[in-house]
Amino acid sequence: MIVRKSAEEAFRAFADPTVTSRFWYSKSSGPMVAGAELRWEWETYGASVDVRVKEVQEGRLIRFEWGNYEQPTTVELRFTPHAAGATFVEATETGFQGSGDAVVRWVNDTVGGFTTALCAMKALLEHGIELNAVSDHHPA
């Protein structure tokens, strides 16, 4: 997704929980720094996940593992400068395990989740609007 902000601003949106909690999760135990072991919470859903930050390249890359640590997946967030001060933000998740149908459901959920989070981040950074898209995505 192209975000019309600098790579540094887009990167900070994911690295700094005071920003990220405005568009993705509701709480984090800390910032995305290499070696951090974090806990993210989505209070609306009563859900949480453990996160291990594997690599951080300021303004360029965040790589982390999350989920069930017997079968974690790896997420890579890339921030590539684009024309006129914009940034291409790309989320890639790898390492899915299990049966065909289970993996397809898992991939479908993650694609939808990251698409929603990226759209919400774009609205926040470009227009100052908090969409509540993640918290409203699966109403009770």
Side-chain angles (χ1 to χ4, degrees), residues 12-64:
R12 181 176 174 261
F14 279 97
D16 180 349
T18 64
V19 181
T20 319
S21 62
R22 295 176 65 196
F23 69 87
W24 193 13
Y25 50 70
S26 51
K27 286 185 182 178
S28 174
S29 60
M32 297 285 276
V33 295
E37 294 196 10
L38 307 172
R39 181 96 170 152
W40 291 348
E41 296 179 34
W42 288 265
E43 294 171 306
T44 301
Y45 301 115
S48 62
V49 68
D50 292 320
V51 175
R52 292 181 184 156
V53 184
K54 301 308 249 179
E55 181 180 2
V56 174
Q57 296 175 19
E58 190 73 28
R60 297 181 54 201
L61 171 78
I62 299 171
R63 183 177 296 121
F64 61 92

Side-chain angles (χ1 to χ4, degrees), residues 110-122:
T110 199
V111 168
F114 280 113
T115 300
T116 302
L118 287 170
C119 289
M121 181 205 51
K122 180 178 177 72

